[in-house]
Structure formats: structure tokens, C-alpha cells
Amino acid sequence: DIVMTQSPLSLPVTPGESASISCRSSQSLLHSNGYNYLGWYLQKPGQSPHLLIFLASKRASGVPDRFSGSGSGTDFTLKISRVEAEDVGVYYCMQTLQTPGYTFGQGTKLEIK
Amino acid sequence: QITLKESGPTLVKPTQTLTLTCTVSGSSVSNSGVGVGWIRQPPGKALEWLALIYWDDDKRYNPSLKRRLTITKDTSKNQVVLRMTNMDPVDTATYYCAHWWTFGESFDYWGQGTLVTVSS
């Protein structure tokens, strides 16, 4: 299985500041088509997860441009610029290169200071 | 607008078989590029992918749970069914179904989830 490791696991942020979450995979997620099969999801308190970023760097429909994804191979980053109170929740990365055997990271809990 | 809704028992006994149904609206489970998957989340823990069925009836399972899982779809009802055998208290979790988007290699819409408790 491809193991996904996120850091930090807890992320206190002051509103208006930026935040970054790292996701590392135990194997490269770069497909032969040139895309990295890595997605980012946010689970707000008491809600279902929803898609933020797909293919490592593409924003899903309706996602504010404050959210950006980057990285390739085994190292990926989700950056949130100008954090707002509505951004609190648990952020998960997920790899979909290895089929079967899709795997999520452990989650990073973002909270407002 | 694509919506998904999970249905099934909230309580099952150990060793019993769990059957969950996902009803999809706004997207056909037989449309090219579409899939429906199941993901679960034990209380206070991380997400775990379980299974995925594609528009062409191709199926994928989490290797660690494959022997216990069966995923099927009913195109006439636009539903996807997950069966999990030999339930154990460690299987207590919220079970989500989600719409798979092949182009984006991701789950772009999620159901609200259903909490299943395994207890005698």
C-alpha cells in the first residue's frame, strides 16, 4: 500500500495569516500521463468531506482561490492564504494512483487561534 | 446538482452482514466516467476508502477488506449497494458514499454519511 503522511497533525492559525499542510507519499504519485494523482479534501466540523484540490494542483469548482495545491512525485503541499474562520476543520490528502488501494493521510486539524 | 444519500441499518450485531444503499441523483451511475465509492470513518479517526464501482461495472476493493466486501449497482434505480460481511465492533463508523469523477481522479460529491454501530 502507498502510505500517506501528513504534517503537521494540528495547525493553529491566526485569521488573515497563511497556512501550509504537507503530504508525503511512500511512492511516487506521478502517472505516465504527467498528472499527479493526489487530492485534498476538507471535512468541516459535523460535515462530510468535500473536494478542494484534484490532480495535485487543480482547484475544484467553487473553491476559493485562497486554496492552492502544489508538488509532484512524493511531496505535496496545500497552502491556504489569508485563513478565515470558515476554513477550520480536518484536511486530508488522498492518493488515487494505486488501484486498488486508495489511501488517505491521517488528517490535519486546522483551528483558529 | 449531484446528491448522494446513504441508507441502511444504524445498528448491527457482531458477525452479521451490513448492507448499505447509496441513492444517486443528478448523475447516472451508468454514464461514462462516473463511479460511486464507499469511504468510512470510525469516530474521531481518519477516512478509509473501502470500494469503488465504475460506470462499466468494473470494481475495486480495499485489499485489506476485500474478502468481506461486495459492491454492486442497480442502474434502473441509480443506486449502489455495499455489503460487508462478518461485522465486528471495530467496524463501527460513519459510512459515506461518494461520486467518483474519473477525469479528476477524485470524489467530487459526498453523501451526508450514515453512522453504523456494531454491538450485541
Side-chain angles (χ1 to χ4, degrees):
Chain A
D1 285 2
I2 297 179
V3 178
M4 307 299 291
T5 303
Q6 291 182 227
S7 62
L9 299 184
S10 178
L11 184 57
V13 184
T14 300
E17 294 188 343
S18 65
S20 290
I21 301 171
S22 170
C23 177
R24 290 184 173 174
S25 58
S26 59
Q27 299 176 34
S28 175
L29 302 182
L30 181 61
H31 192 277
S32 57
N33 62 14
Y35 291 109
N36 286 278
Y37 282 22
L38 186 283
W40 289 96
Y41 297 83
L42 166 60
Q43 186 174 32
K44 295 184 178 182
Q47 296 184 17
S48 307
H50 68 270
L51 179 65
L52 293 174
I53 301 289
F54 64 96
L55 298 177
S57 61
K58 301 180 182 303
R59 264 189 308 275
S61 176
V63 174
D65 59 9
R66 300 185 292 103
F67 292 87
S68 62
S70 62
S72 183
T74 60
D75 290 341
F76 301 89
T77 301
L78 176 70
K79 182 176 180 180
I80 312 165
S81 58
R82 306 181 305 280
V83 169
E84 299 180 1
E86 66 177 22
D87 300 334
V88 300
V90 182
Y91 290 79
Y92 293 94
C93 60
M94 179 189 184
Q95 68 82 17
T96 54
L97 181 68
Q98 184 177 60
T99 171
Y102 299 157
T103 44
F104 289 92
Q106 322 97 298
T108 294
K109 186 175 184 178
L110 185 147
E111 59 182 25
I112 298 296
K113 284 184 182 177
Chain B
Q1 175 72 358
I2 296 172
T3 61
L4 302 96
K5 187 171 176 62
E6 305 89 350
S7 58
T10 58
L11 179 66
V12 297
K13 290 180 167 50
T15 75
Q16 287 187 335
T17 294
L18 171 68
T19 300
L20 294 173
T21 300
C22 178
T23 302
V24 182
S25 301
S27 174
S28 171
V29 299
S30 58
N31 277 358
S32 180
V34 168
V36 174
W38 288 92
I39 301 100
R40 70 178 179 180
Q41 184 174 39
K45 296 188 176 181
L47 301 167
E48 179 183 31
W49 171 76
L50 300 177
L52 174 60
I53 188 166
Y54 295 93
W55 73 96
D56 58 0
D57 214 38
D58 192 13
K59 301 164 187 177
R60 298 284 185 265
Y61 296 100
N62 183 319
S64 65
L65 295 167
K66 182 177 182 178
R67 284 182 296 178
R68 300 174 52 204
L69 296 174
T70 304
I71 190 169
T72 58
K73 62 181 172 69
D74 184 334
T75 55
S76 66
K77 297 180 180 179
N78 218 36
Q79 292 178 333
V80 171
V81 175
L82 181 75
R83 292 180 69 248
M84 179 180 288
T85 61
N86 194 25
M87 293 292 285
D88 182 272
V90 300
D91 296 314
T92 293
T94 296
Y95 287 75
Y96 297 99
C97 65
H99 183 267
W100 173 259
W101 176 38
T102 295
F103 172 77
E105 284 290 322
S106 55
F107 292 109
D108 57 350
Y109 294 92
W110 294 62
Q112 64 187 26
T114 184
L115 175 62
V116 178
T117 302
V118 185
S119 174
S120 54

